[in-house]
Amino acid sequence: MVRTARASTATGPTLAVVAREAGVSVPTASKVVNGREDVAPETRRRVSEALDRLGYVRRPRFDPTVRAPRMIDLVVRSPADSGSGAVLHGVEEAAYDAGLEVVVSAGLERRRGGTVERGGWLDKLRARGSAGVLFDLAELTGTQYTWLERHRVPFVLIDPVAEPPSGVVSVGAANWQGGVTATEHLLGLGHERIAVIAGERGTAVSGTRVAGYRSALAAAGVRHRAEYVRHAGFDRDAARRRMRELLELPVPPTAVFVCSDAMALGVYEALAERGLRVPDEMSVVGFDDLPEARWATPALTTVRRPLAEMAATALRLLLRMMDGAHLESTRTELSTRLVQRASTAAPGGDVRH
């Protein structure tokens, strides 16, 4: 079940914190809170003492015979973002199977250059008594990591742009392999002058996708051109500008691998401004396989990032953490694959001006 986030008047530690204090699992602590009888007396005593010692506030139950479902939070970049929609779908299905209640909040991610961030949502997590959190944000701030650690809230990151700190659990896509696959597709069509428009310079996601691009070129014996590598910060307008720059080169590319579908739409706009046709005069490959890729004209060939599957995997890992499990691996990667549509073809006319 997914519902819109709203403030709660409850205060105090989460049930997960109480469970750790008492040395039991979250489901066991929940049984005590909800008055279930299938708990050993000694266990009930330890949990009850932890509840009193930590000042846990029991939320009122409308039906004392029904056990309330565990609740987690999902913090997305924006409910209007199509990528967040895929994440919501994956979490909703997995949460239904697990009998969880999910509260969805919008927290604008921090970006280099400055982005307004909605404040207060971390405090609301604690007030609601959420057992854990899934973050579909580009990255968290140091302050946010410190808050989560201090309150001992289990959390998992879904495909963060930046490399998270050591020990932080995350689920992402096989970005390096995706870069290889996109570039190999263009090489297979006969392109050698292949450019790449990446996201933010210096971030893990951009770096690994560009590394895959370079690796594919090297394996094919194609010379890497430094002037063909541009960064647009995952911004559509910036990608349009970077494409204009590529077209102004003495030897412009015949194909471009764009590291997000949103940026690929900006590339389309730059090509249209010059009267260049996709794919006749420029082949374009995106990354993500968002709905926009299918709606574009021509439909965009892209590397599918399995967002719904990543979200469901992240929720299953969070459940294990909520139950006290120690995860041996903190990074899980899901495979990417090429979705071929109409935006790529063999090299056509020369785009030099």
Side-chain angles (χ1 to χ4, degrees), residues 68-137:
R70 284 190 291 178
M71 180 171 61
I72 67 166
D73 270 73
L74 169 64
V75 184
V76 299
R77 305 170 197 215
S78 167
D81 182 88
S82 55
S84 294
V87 167
L88 280 167
H89 177 71
V91 170
E92 182 179 17
E93 289 202 346
Y96 178 83
D97 292 340
L100 288 173
E101 184 175 344
V102 181
V103 177
V104 182
S105 303
L108 301 182
E109 75 275 18
R110 179 175 64 88
R111 291 181 182 174
R112 288 169 179 81
T115 291
V116 176
E117 187 175 348
R118 295 183 182 177
W121 46 267
L122 277 177
D123 289 327
K124 292 177 183 178
L125 303 183
R126 184 169 182 261
R128 277 193 290 271
S130 294
V133 191
L134 295 174
F135 288 105
D136 177 36
L137 301 177

Side-chain angles (χ1 to χ4, degrees), residues 127-215:
R128 277 193 290 271
S130 294
V133 191
L134 295 174
F135 288 105
D136 177 36
L137 301 177
E139 56 184 315
L140 299 181
T141 66
T143 300
Q144 289 164 348
Y145 281 123
T146 299
W147 189 99
L148 292 162
E149 177 65 25
R150 183 171 70 248
H151 291 89
R152 293 202 249 171
V153 177
F155 67 97
V156 178
L157 306 183
I158 301 172
D159 210 24
V161 170
E163 188 74 27
S166 175
V168 172
V169 178
S170 66
V171 178
N175 291 301
W176 182 86
Q177 188 58 53
V180 169
T181 301
T183 310
E184 285 181 341
H185 171 66
L186 294 169
L187 288 165
L189 292 171
H191 294 276
E192 293 189 353
R193 288 155 43 192
I194 304 171
V196 60
I197 298 179
E200 293 187 17
R201 192 185 302 273
T203 59
V205 165
S206 287
T208 50
R209 291 177 190 177
V210 173
Y213 154 84
R214 287 175 171 161
S215 179

